[in-house]
Amino acid sequence: MEACMAASCSAALSPLPSSLFSQLINVLLFSQCALDRGSDYPVDRSIDILSSKKEFDFVIVGGGSAGSVLARRLSEIDDWDVLLIEAGEDASPMSEVPGFLTMLPDTAEDYAYKTELQAGFCQGHKNKRCKWRKGKALGGSSVINAMLHVFGNDRDYNQWQEQGNEGWDYENMLRYLRKSTNCPAEYIAKFGVRHCGANGPMSIRSYNYSETMQQEVLLDGAREMGLDVLDPLIGDRYVGFGKAFGTMDNAQRMNTAKAYLSPVKDKKNLYVMKSTRADKVLLKGNKAVGVRVTSGGKTVDLTASKEVILSAGSIASPQLLMLSGIGPKKHLQDMGIQVVADLPVGKNLQDHVIWPGLLIGFVNETQPLPTSTFGMDLAYNYLVHKKGELATVGINLLAFVNVNDFGPNGEKPRSTPSKYPDIEFHFGHFPRWLAPKIAALYNLVNVENEIVQELTKMIMEGDLIVAASTLLQPKSKGFLELRSADPADTMKIYANYFAEREDIETLLKSVNVIKALTKTSALGQYKMTLKHLDLPGCRDKQPDSDEYWECNIRQIAGSVYHPIGTAKMGTKDDPTAVVDSRLRVHGVQRLRVIDASIMPNIVSGNTNSPVIAIAEKGADLVKEDWFKDKHSEL
């Protein structure tokens, strides 16, 4: 890397830019040279595949957090030819840098879905529509997410099994959490391997940099409130504050393609097609026999002798099912699609709503003015020492709380808190004067420019800590519909946030948690106080009133990009289920769905690590079924 820094990247460092934005552009150029590792990924074999008539054993659609896992695990059977189809390309060098998280949205690596216009939420977002980010690259959303390694709690998974999904309880899912992860030796020595593995492909590491003073103040406040400080964050206690591990290694992002596919990229039985769109599942009667794809301007049919597996995510997998005639009968008929199986595809849509409207403000007397070399200093510290602000996403301090434990005016919580949380807080510190940093976060959320301008005014007056409140167990459910029978068309996403009043009330109660936190002496010594963002749509509301906070929620709350449930797992007798407990589509042979869409209920935390575990289990199910009877009709 030193040679790269000294020679071929020298042009990216001169002349020295004067603005922070220009500096960061140079950082990107610099990083692209130093971090470019395209050779880590499997080569694109699209041209050879398109020109041949090769039949595959398994065709997997979607090379993301689930698909990369499946391609690796199924290709371990040397006799199986496995094809992985991905609409994107290799992950960009920019995605390797944790601190560039807010620069990845709206690039070629982001599908940037938009929800349909609905009243009552995202009212302060551009065009009043929520953006739903999804990764478009080998590695999928693990290429653009915040890398936070969170798994949920025992109740989440045990409920899956209680609904008739045998083998999906917490203890079984922990097996796959361990199988997928690789935690530091010092963690294993201290905590063992119950909640983190020692030999899995996915590296789980601490961030190399965190804003220690602000995080420690918040942790001291939590202790003063009588809340647990969870070390480690993932364990058998589910309520408290703690620092999350990240899916990373050596201060670089570890996406699933790098973790799972790089070690086997040269296997002869693993075939990867990139920049390829899957258009529909090919069916012979009620049996899946292949996939129709468009690649390089050509549309061809690819055959699968054993199975087709959809791992394209909670939006694209339902789209493919519906385009193939598997979905709600009336809707498919309205779209002019012949019905093969009448199933509730696209229903049961659940998502975590995140509300970045709770702000803690203070004047940090030690905060220096940014220097003219600020951006280049960040780049040097990261690229040479793997430290500094670019080595973190800055929101790894989390809090899991049950808001019903807190009084209405910020009183201390009950002495015996609830076992299970209903809110997850993401804490992020934004130093005074660094307006581009806070603007980047809220542009990621997609709020109106006028709101971003109000935030930049606030950041010029003092530091801000954003306490983003995330609704863990939403009662409201949305649904998906096809826009047309054209696979190039985007889906209609009806998020239906706050259709159930309880969801708004739970988020409103999260204000009490932050009030209680700011009343502690730990925060009081720094004069940290709850601030009220001047929102254009809420200026007729009295600050700190329930009416103001509800308006704030309806203006700027949006998606944290965790959609699940649209091909729900359940028994054949469950009218809301699409796949069975072995992830086979009801009524269709040799077709499975293995991704977040199969979750019956959303987990109480970030969804990437659970999806990886689902894929690990799904791969085992496939192997078990085919080795149990190689000639059976699945």
Side-chain angles (χ1 to χ4, degrees), residues 76-373:
E76 290 173 349
I77 309 301
D78 291 336
D79 291 338
W80 288 352
D81 285 338
V82 178
L83 172 61
L84 179 65
I85 300 169
E86 168 55 41
E89 286 286 341
D90 295 339
S92 70
M94 184 167 67
S95 72
E96 298 270 339
V97 184
F100 287 160
L101 171 69
T102 55
M103 295 185 180
L104 299 172
D106 297 312
T107 65
E109 293 177 293
D110 176 21
Y111 279 95
Y113 295 130
K114 294 178 183 176
T115 62
E116 295 302 295
L117 190 64
Q118 291 182 279
F121 57 89
C122 292
Q123 297 302 289
H125 292 222
K126 294 180 178 70
N127 300 314
K128 300 186 187 302
R129 297 173 71 186
C130 319
K131 277 273 185 80
W132 279 20
R133 312 293 181 185
K134 176 193 170 187
K136 187 179 183 181
L138 208 58
S141 291
S142 70
V143 171
I144 68 169
N145 68 1
M147 297 177 285
L148 298 174
H149 176 60
V150 183
F151 197 63
N153 58 58
D154 59 355
R155 183 176 65 177
D156 296 330
Y157 301 96
N158 290 341
Q159 285 178 343
W160 296 4
Q161 176 149 303
E162 289 163 9
Q163 294 176 47
N165 298 301
E166 189 65 32
W168 290 90
D169 61 288
Y170 184 60
E171 292 301 324
N172 267 302
M173 291 306 291
L174 280 182
R175 290 172 50 210
Y176 291 103
L177 176 68
R178 293 191 290 268
K179 183 177 181 179
S180 65
T181 52
N182 168 11
C183 275
E186 57 270 24
Y187 170 96
I188 301 298
K190 185 175 181 180
F191 301 112
V193 293
R194 174 167 168 75
H195 294 97
C196 205
N199 302 302
M202 204 74 186
S203 294
I204 306 298
R205 299 289 185 267
S206 295
Y207 291 90
N208 281 18
Y209 170 86
S210 61
E211 294 163 82
T212 304
M213 187 277 280
Q214 290 78 22
Q215 290 194 347
E216 292 307 319
V217 168
L218 293 169
L219 290 173
D220 286 343
R223 293 185 184 97
E224 196 174 328
M225 291 163 64
L227 293 173
D228 284 341
V229 172
L230 304 177
D231 182 21
L233 184 67
I234 295 180
D236 291 322
R237 293 178 299 160
Y238 308 123
V239 172
F241 282 55
K243 296 180 182 179
F245 278 126
T247 50
M248 58 193 303
D249 192 22
N250 194 28
Q252 292 181 17
R253 177 188 296 272
M254 178 61 71
N255 67 59
T256 53
K258 190 195 301 183
Y260 279 85
L261 298 181
S262 293
V264 296
K265 64 185 179 69
D266 296 322
K267 284 207 73 173
K268 296 189 184 307
N269 67 326
L270 174 62
Y271 298 78
V272 177
M273 294 181 73
K274 305 173 189 177
S275 295
T276 299
R277 187 187 72 215
D279 293 343
K280 67 182 295 187
V281 178
L282 300 173
L283 297 166
K284 189 174 182 179
N286 68 339
K287 181 192 297 184
V289 295
V291 176
R292 179 166 296 160
V293 302
T294 298
S295 181
K298 297 180 180 179
T299 298
V300 299
D301 292 347
L302 303 172
T303 57
S305 63
K306 287 185 170 60
E307 289 190 37
V308 172
I309 302 175
L310 302 185
S311 298
S314 293
I315 309 302
S317 285
Q319 182 177 23
L320 278 166
L321 289 171
M322 290 189 216
L323 290 171
S324 309
I326 303 165
K329 181 177 180 179
K330 184 179 183 307
H331 177 54
L332 297 186
Q333 289 173 337
D334 290 344
M335 293 291 106
I337 297 172
Q338 183 177 352
V339 179
V340 175
D342 181 10
L343 293 172
V345 175
K347 310 297 184 182
N348 192 49
L349 174 61
Q350 300 164 50
D351 184 29
H352 288 142
V353 179
I354 190 167
W355 173 37
L358 289 169
L359 306 171
I360 300 171
F362 66 105
V363 176
N364 184 357
E365 302 292 350
T366 64
Q367 177 65 32
L369 278 165
T371 66
S372 61
T373 61

Side-chain angles (χ1 to χ4, degrees), residues 466-486:
V466 177
S469 175
T470 303
L471 184 66
L472 289 178
Q473 290 293 310
K475 301 299 185 290
S476 306
K477 294 182 181 180
F479 62 95
L480 306 173
E481 287 184 342
L482 292 172
R483 199 172 301 277
S484 75
D486 184 349

